[in-house]
Structures are given as structure tokens and as C-alpha cells.
Amino acid sequence: MNATRHPRIAVVGAGPGGLVCARVLQRHGRPVTVFEREASAGARPQGGSLDMHGGTGQAALRAAGLLDGFRALSRPESQEWRLLDPATAAVLPAQGPPDDHGEEDRPEIDRGQLRDLLLDSLTAGSVRWDRAVSGVTPLGDGTGRLLFADGTTEDFDLVIGADGAWSRVRPALSDAVPGYTGITFIEAGFDDCDTRHPDLARMVGAGTMVAGADSKVLFAQRNSNDHIRVYIGFRGPEDWQVAAGVELGDTAAVRAHLLTMFNGWDERLLALLRDNDGAFIPRPLFALPVPPTWEHVPGVTLLGDAAHLMPPLGLGANLAMLDGAELARALVTEPGVDDAVRAYESVMLPRSAEAAKGCAEGLAHLLPPTGA
Ligand SMILES: Cc1cc2nc3c(=O)[nH]c(=O)nc-3n(C[C@H](O)[C@H](O)[C@H](O)COP(=O)(O)OP(=O)(O)OC[C@H]3O[C@@H](n4cnc5c(N)ncnc54)[C@H](O)[C@@H]3O)c2cc1C
């Protein structure tokens, strides 16, 4: 790297991948600015629980100097995983979660806690909130120009797109766009479950409960603060509600439709559809074409979902964080920015291709195409 001037590095997106990247750079004395479209750290709830795998998410946290902080917040007991028979709600003998890769040390942490841990580790002012990026132009001299939604621009020696599934940085490198997988998850939640929903809490246990049959699945996972989050998965068109004749905001109508869809399942499992607090939130699943790939362009790269969005089988945040840590390390150790990005991409792209293929196969196994 230039001995007199550190490269100007922009990270677009304050998700787990972008924040790990920024933190590891700062640990090594490298300046970095994170641009985030959300108005503030508390602008929206961050969602459910993530299990951090030893070789990926935890390795990234170690590189960030945050493994002890993570251990203090995480819930090792939530690694528990049980498979239930849809017809009887009996616990079935099971090998373990589809994504464990033989790793036994995979404690869970709420996304919001993980994000706060990372945000608190950065020097004040590193994240520029309410700065939505609308695109990037590689300038041809190895630098990149960020265009913001408010029409302003800023130039950097490296723009790192860590802006998730619908990345505005990706088009500078690739024409790939996420495609609908044919599967929708609908999220539901239960508050104060040990006191208000004790039978359901016992059925779910301390970690994750899964029941699946006929291309339908129910996932329920413990979060902190006595909350259980449920994902109701099924195959169908992205606009399934049109054929079903229900309005997404009409909780009673969505519930009635789901109960019909899961007809014949044990009543204790149907309580996951019947008794939830609040609305049903649709989460149609999208994925980028496999393998993720692009021709190297100086001054711009991607990490995490922006690079390799894949079905959510427990890898996405872990891989995003590993990407962030490895890219930052390369930027610290390689002689120049372009050497660093090439070294990072040469490892990250094949790794992501293999993981994305595994996730696509895992999803097809969990929710086989109808008639398969
Ligand atoms: C239902 C579901 C369950 C999942 N469960 C798991 C799990 O158990 N384990 C796991 O490892 N993964 C899981 N995943 C996947 C995981 O959520 C993602 O892979 C992970 O969040 C990707 O991290 P990221 O940093 O790449 O992007 P993101 O987390 O998407 O962060 C991107 C950030 O960029 C910001 N941004 C977006 N556009 C712009 C813009 N134009 N300008 C500025 N900022 C922008 C966003 O606001 C956001 O803060 C799940 C996903 C889903 C949908």
C-alpha cells in the first residue's frame, strides 16, 4: 500500500458483512467509511436469531477482536435442534440441522445484538446513516465513484458493496439479478412464550424446531427475551396471495389460508399458525444464479449477499462476515488495493459457488418441487 496515504475505502451497507470488514480494517489502523441507507441504528428491528459457525462467523468475530463479546451475548443452549413429525408432533430421530457441516459449536445470537456489538466496536462517526447509494461508476483509473440517492457523489480507491440482496453496487460488476426460488417463507412471532404460550414453548424447546412434509415446512426458533420466531415455508408463486384471494395485511384471512394449506398437521403444530402475536410477514426467497461470478473490475468489489445471495439455510450471515474479515485482512497485508481485491475474489468466489450449490440442493431437499 502507499506508505504516505492510506487508500480511501467505502463500505456500502451496515449489515454483518460490511461492519465486520470495517471493524477489521480499523483494528489495523485503516480508515474506512460505511454508508447505510437506514436513518439510524434503531431504524428497524433486525430480525431473528443467527447461529455463528466456528469456521466462518466466529472466525470473523475473532479477526474483529469480538469473540469474547459475542460469547457473553450468545446462547449456546439454542443450538438444540429437533425434527417433529407433522402428523403427530412427536420428536423424530434426526442427524442434526441441515447446515451444521459437522460443526458442534454454533451458539445463537439475535441479529440486533450482533449488529450492536459490531457498531459499538467502530470509531464514532464511521457509519454515515441515511446515505442511500444509488450506483457506482468505476472511473477507469482504479478508483470508483459513489452516487448517492440525493444526487451527490464521492470518489474512493475502493468501493465495497456490502448492500445485500438488492445491491446497487453489483451492476458495476455483473448483470446478475436475484431470481425467485419458488419458495416463500412467512414470518410469525410469539412474545412472552414461557408464560403466555407454555405448551408451544415446550414443543419448540431451547433452540430450533422443524417439521416438514409435502413441500411445506414449519421452523420455530427461540430468540432472546422469551420470543419465538416462526417461519412458515411453502412452494408457490411469488404472488401466492392473489391466487389465494387474500390481502397480505388481513391477518385473519392469511391465517385461514395457512390453516387450510397445513390441514392434517397435528393441532399442536397448527398452534404456530393459529396463536401468533401480530401480523404475518411474507419473506419470498430469492437467490442469485449459481455460480456467482464476475470479471474483476479495479476499484469495486462485493461481499456477502450482494456477491452471492443464496437460500437461507444458515450460511448467509456467516459467509458475509467471513468475506468481510478476509477482504479487510487482504487490504492490510497485500501490497496494493487491486492485489488485495484479486486475492480476496480468487478465494471468495469459488467458496461461495460451492456454498450456494449446497444451499440450493438443501432447499430442494427440504421443500421438494411438487411432483418430485
Ligand atoms: C428468513 C431468513 C432467515 C435467515 N437465517 C439465517 C441464519 O440463520 N444464519 C445465517 O447465517 N444467515 C441467515 N439468513 C441470511 C442472512 O440474513 C444474510 O445472508 C445476511 O444478512 C447477509 O449479510 P450482508 O451483510 O451481506 O447483507 P445484509 O444483512 O442484507 O445488510 C445489507 C445492509 O446494506 C444496507 N443497504 C441496502 N441497500 C443499500 C443502499 N442502496 N445504500 C446504502 N445501504 C444499503 C441495508 O440497509 C443493510 O443494512 C437468513 C435470511 C433470511 C431471509
Side-chain angles (χ1 to χ4, degrees), residues 13 15-17 36-37 50 111 133 162-163 168 304-305 312 314-318:
E36 169 57 50
R37 73 176 168 194
L50 297 167
R111 277 168 191 267
V133 165
D163 49 343
R168 304 302 289 261
D305 279 6
L315 285 185
N318 282 278

Side-chain angles (χ1 to χ4, degrees), residues 25 85 105 128 134 154 189 198 224-225 279 290 317 336 339 344 359 362 371:
L25 284 169
D85 182 339
D105 179 29
R128 309 244 304 260
S134 55
E154 283 188 50
S224 61
N225 295 325
V290 180
D339 305 297
Y344 156 75
C359 282

Side-chain angles (χ1 to χ4, degrees), residues 75-268:
R75 291 171 281 112
E77 69 283 5
S78 287
Q79 285 177 223
E80 185 186 292
W81 193 89
R82 55 176 73 163
L83 183 65
L84 268 60
D85 182 339
T88 63
V91 178
L92 297 168
Q95 307 290 320
D99 63 307
D100 76 347
H101 307 288
E103 292 193 69
E104 290 180 357
D105 179 29
R106 304 157 49 251
E108 298 264 347
I109 186 168
D110 282 13
R111 277 168 191 267
Q113 292 176 318
L114 178 66
R115 198 192 205 203
D116 288 346
L117 179 71
L118 289 163
L119 283 172
D120 291 347
S121 74
L122 296 179
T123 56
S126 308
V127 180
R128 309 244 304 260
W129 300 98
D130 207 7
R131 287 294 271 157
V133 165
S134 55
V136 182
T137 309
L139 294 180
D141 63 353
T143 64
R145 175 162 298 161
L146 268 186
L147 175 63
F148 295 93
D150 63 7
T152 57
T153 62
E154 283 188 50
D155 294 352
F156 291 90
D157 297 305
L158 178 63
V159 173
I160 300 169
D163 49 343
W166 305 101
S167 171
R168 304 302 289 261
V169 178
R170 188 189 303 124
L173 296 174
S174 156
D175 293 334
V177 285
Y180 178 57
T181 58
I183 291 168
T184 286
F185 278 7
I186 296 188
E187 187 181 322
F190 292 82
D191 298 322
D192 307 320
C193 37
D194 284 327
T195 44
R196 293 180 53 234
H197 307 281
D199 293 342
L200 189 137
R202 265 192 299 279
M203 178 178 74
V204 172
T208 300
M209 180 227 89
V210 184
D214 305 327
S215 299
K216 296 186 284 282
V217 70
L218 293 178
F219 278 100
Q221 63 170 205
R222 280 273 178 175
N223 294 179
S224 61
N225 295 325
D226 207 11
H227 184 80
I228 287 178
R229 192 172 303 259
V230 177
Y231 293 111
I232 303 146
F234 55 87
R235 283 196 173 266
E238 195 187 339
D239 60 352
W240 58 273
Q241 76 280 3
V242 175
V246 300
E247 293 286 335
L248 290 176
D250 183 345
T251 301
V254 174
R255 175 173 292 123
H257 177 72
L258 293 174
L259 286 167
T260 306
M261 191 188 275
F262 284 79
N263 185 30
W265 287 42
D266 188 276
E267 274 303 315
R268 284 161 288 188

Side-chain angles (χ1 to χ4, degrees), residues 3 6 15 74 109 129 182 261 274 316 327 342 367 371:
H6 285 311
S74 66
I109 186 168
W129 300 98
M261 191 188 275
R274 219 188 282 283
L327 175 55
R342 284 181 187 277
L367 289 141

Side-chain angles (χ1 to χ4, degrees), residues 288-294 302-305 307-310 315 319-320 322-323 344-360:
L288 279 165
V290 180
T293 187
W294 58 82
L302 302 173
L303 61 75
D305 279 6
H308 47 65
L309 177 68
M310 54 188 83
L315 285 185
L319 290 177
L322 185 64
D323 291 352
Y344 156 75
E345 289 175 346
S346 73
V347 173
M348 181 275 291
L349 285 170
R351 174 177 67 217
S352 315
E354 195 183 329
K357 186 164 167 281
C359 282

